[in-house]
Amino acid sequence: MRKAGRRSNKPHTTLRPDRGCDEDSAAAHYVRSQALGRSDSQTAPNSPALTPLTPSTKDENASTGKSRTGPLGLLVLKTDDQAHAARTMWNLLHAWWRMMPKEKRTLAHADAAIRQARQDVGFLAVLPAQAAQAVLKTYFQAWKNCWDGRAAAPNFKGRFRTVMSVDVPQGRDLNIVRVHRRWGMASIPKVGRVRFRWTKDLPVGKRACVENRITGARLIKDALGWHIAFRVQTLEVKPDPHQGPDVGIDVGVTVPLALSNGETYEHGEWLTAKEKARLLHLEQRAARRKQHRRPGERTSRRLHHTYDQIAGLRAKAKRRALDWQHRTTTAIAHTYGTVVVEALTITNMVKSARGTIEEPGKSVAQKAGLNRSIIGEAWGRTVTMLTYKTARLGGTLHKVPAPGTSRRCSACGFTTPGSRESQAVFVCRNPDCGWSGNADHNAAHNVLHLYRMGLALIPAAGRAVARRAKRVKPAAAR
């Protein structure tokens, strides 16, 4: 299954054989095509799969994709070592930052500190010098984001709670070569030649120029293996204004997206019945093995392997969800010139109903299930995708206030108690109206009506839009 419409510009690849290219795993294949080719100023939607190549001097081995398990495992171990060294470098920088006086927290002093650390700590030498410099720049940028109110203060990175990643900041080190239609090869410093799934043309060879070139890459590891994201610098022409119609969108759980023109976008379960049974079996096995572990005892290899299998199934479901979101938002961005959505505060919507000891909550389990469903639909991610895709195609996205859109009648404009009889049925209780129809489409009509009445929300200028995280005191951290 291939996506219709323009793809986004950031390629990813996995350092292991790609197991998601068959027809039954269309979502994984789609995500691979989605992450390719994006300009630096935009947000990468997601990542495809890059597979490691067995070190070989024969081109026919590369084209057939055959590799021995020994060298393949060695490539993965080398990349893991670099990722752990990068995380250790970050933690050493953070400890140095907390220890040094404010006047010595400069880029020059930090650069001298990491150079000394690479000499004193032996295993840090597996990390290339350019990647260590990228860790330094990322750490200082994290503090700048904190001071500007865009993020919380940086902290230590844990071994199991942190996404493993390694930067390749210089594009000339990659030496990208296209092997054939499906696969390409790239050089990773101190790792070797790896092959990746070629899902969109990259500016390499004669296609590369000053305005269109690869400036670097980042290796990222998730539950499905290692991936690579190429940073592509390209000059994009400002698009012409989109001439498509206006549309209002109501998001939900039963019906994920309902449009004001009567169209709906729905999806099924992300895992098949067999996969869900497998996931339940693995979760039960993990629970049994966890019972036999004494407090403070290290987790066994078997339990770690079970956790990895659970994470792999959940990652597969997430990729399929991302596939659906990308295809859906691309179709909407290509069809409509103005997209109007509700300004939802999702963090407040998914708060627990547990209450306190003095005043315990009601229907706590039901509210927890609703919260999981809301989080699973990822409404915020859908709006983010619509934002950059409509802007890329010359369209616009607007947000309107959410209160009352599901209870107001789109025909007469009155809000009468009891009009929404069920999740799908809306019957206006106004004696002079009596209109009935689908409740989700009625809400989408109200969303579009608020925009046409001039009630679209106008965000504040500059950094005032972002709220500073709680308990963060940037002035004291400087």
Side-chain angles (χ1 to χ4, degrees):
M1 181 184 301
R2 293 185 180 273
K3 158 184 175 280
R6 183 175 180 178
R7 296 174 183 170
S8 152
N9 259 3
K10 210 171 180 182
H12 283 215
T13 327
T14 334
L15 290 175
R16 60 176 197 145
D18 185 5
R19 300 173 183 171
C21 340
D22 54 328
E23 292 296 327
D24 296 333
S25 179
H29 175 79
Y30 170 77
V31 173
R32 280 191 293 277
S33 31
Q34 267 301 307
L36 280 166
R38 183 189 61 82
S39 51
D40 292 338
S41 60
Q42 296 164 344
T43 314
N46 262 298
S47 50
L50 172 126
T51 5
L53 180 69
T54 303
S56 175
T57 58
K58 297 183 179 180
D59 292 338
E60 58 268 24
N61 289 346
S63 61
T64 56
K66 297 179 180 178
S67 58
R68 301 188 183 93
T69 56
L72 176 60
L74 182 61
L75 290 175
V76 175
L77 288 176
K78 286 182 178 180
T79 314
D80 287 345
D81 291 342
Q82 287 195 15
H84 286 305
R87 179 183 58 84
T88 305
M89 183 70 70
W90 174 285
N91 290 339
L92 291 175
L93 271 173
H94 191 58
W96 172 88
W97 179 278
R98 298 174 62 181
M99 179 183 64
M100 297 300 289
K102 295 180 181 179
E103 60 273 9
K104 291 190 177 181
R105 294 174 180 173
T106 62
L107 194 62
H109 285 89
D111 180 62
I114 65 171
R115 290 175 185 270
Q116 185 64 37
R118 285 171 58 83
Q119 296 177 3
D120 296 341
V121 185
F123 72 89
L124 293 181
V126 301
L127 186 67
Q130 294 84 357
Q133 292 294 322
V135 174
L136 173 61
K137 293 180 180 179
T138 304
Y139 182 78
F140 271 73
Q141 184 61 44
W143 276 115
K144 291 180 181 179
N145 293 339
C146 172
W147 296 331
D148 293 340
R150 296 191 296 268
N155 205 342
F156 292 106
K157 291 187 176 183
R159 181 181 178 87
F160 300 107
R161 301 187 306 272
T162 305
V163 177
M164 298 176 66
S165 63
V166 180
D167 271 334
V168 184
Q170 296 180 349
R172 64 174 181 267
D173 296 336
L174 295 169
N175 297 322
I176 300 174
V177 177
R178 187 167 189 172
V179 179
H180 56 76
R181 184 173 64 89
R182 290 180 176 270
W183 297 98
M185 295 173 58
S187 296
I188 307 301
K190 293 193 175 184
V191 173
R193 295 290 286 177
V194 297
R195 68 187 179 100
F196 61 91
R197 187 63 178 260
W198 196 287
T199 53
K200 188 175 181 180
D201 287 338
L202 294 172
V204 297
K206 295 181 179 180
R207 297 175 179 268
C209 61
V210 177
E211 297 177 348
N212 188 25
R213 59 194 177 93
I214 296 176
T215 60
R218 171 172 289 187
L219 294 166
I220 306 168
K221 188 177 184 180
D222 63 6
L224 296 178
W226 277 100
H227 305 261
I228 184 170
F230 295 103
R231 289 190 295 271
V232 180
Q233 176 180 307
T234 181
L235 185 63
E236 292 190 353
V237 181
K238 184 178 180 180
D240 296 329
H242 200 299
Q243 302 300 325
D246 302 343
V247 68
I249 298 179
D250 176 68
V251 296
V253 174
T254 305
V255 179
L257 295 178
L259 275 58
S260 56
N261 60 359
E263 190 177 1
T264 58
Y265 289 92
E266 302 181 38
H267 60 76
E269 296 289 338
W270 303 127
L271 294 176
T272 63
K274 187 175 180 179
E275 289 169 339
K276 289 194 290 186
R278 174 66 175 167
L279 178 62
L280 178 61
H281 172 70
L282 291 172
E283 290 175 340
Q284 292 173 345
R285 177 191 293 176
R288 288 195 302 269
R289 289 177 174 172
K290 191 175 180 180
Q291 287 178 348
H292 299 287
R293 186 162 58 97
R294 293 186 294 272
E297 185 181 359
R298 295 186 63 179
T299 305
S300 65
R301 291 178 180 268
R302 290 183 177 182
L303 185 54
H304 269 307
H305 180 62
T306 305
Y307 285 154
D308 292 340
Q309 291 177 303
I310 294 173
L313 283 173
R314 290 176 177 171
K316 182 182 291 188
K318 182 179 179 180
R319 280 198 164 189
R320 291 172 180 172
L322 285 169
D323 169 39
W324 180 85
Q325 282 186 310
H326 274 296
R327 287 188 286 108
T328 302
T329 53
T330 299
I332 293 174
H334 274 279
T335 307
Y336 303 100
T338 302
V339 180
V340 188
V341 297
E342 298 172 294
L344 299 174
T345 309
I346 302 176
T347 53
N348 293 342
M349 298 175 65
V350 296
K351 285 186 176 180
S352 174
R354 186 180 307 167
T356 61
I357 298 178
E358 294 79 13
E359 297 180 1
K362 299 180 180 179
S363 303
V364 179
Q366 292 85 339
K367 182 61 169 62
L370 177 62
N371 293 346
R372 286 193 296 270
S373 299
I374 293 175
I375 294 173
E377 291 299 330
W379 297 335
R381 189 167 59 204
T382 301
V383 174
T384 301
M385 292 180 182
L386 284 173
T387 301
Y388 74 79
K389 290 183 181 182
T390 52
R392 181 183 296 172
L393 297 172
T396 56
L397 182 134
H398 300 275
K399 295 182 180 181
V400 297
T405 54
S406 299
R407 296 180 288 112
R408 176 184 176 275
C409 177
S410 59
C412 66
F414 284 92
T415 301
T416 310
S419 295
R420 184 156 185 171
E421 294 186 349
S422 64
Q423 183 277 325
V425 179
F426 186 94
V427 179
C428 183
R429 298 300 182 184
N430 183 9
D432 299 331
C433 180
W435 178 86
S436 62
N438 184 274
D440 297 316
H441 294 152
N442 174 74
H445 275 290
N446 290 329
V447 170
L448 182 59
H449 172 75
L450 291 176
Y451 165 73
R452 290 175 174 173
M453 293 295 293
L455 297 178
L457 298 178
I458 302 176
R463 62 176 183 174
V465 180
R467 296 181 60 186
R468 190 178 303 282
K470 294 182 179 180
R471 299 187 302 276
V472 175
K473 300 178 180 179
R478 297 183 184 180

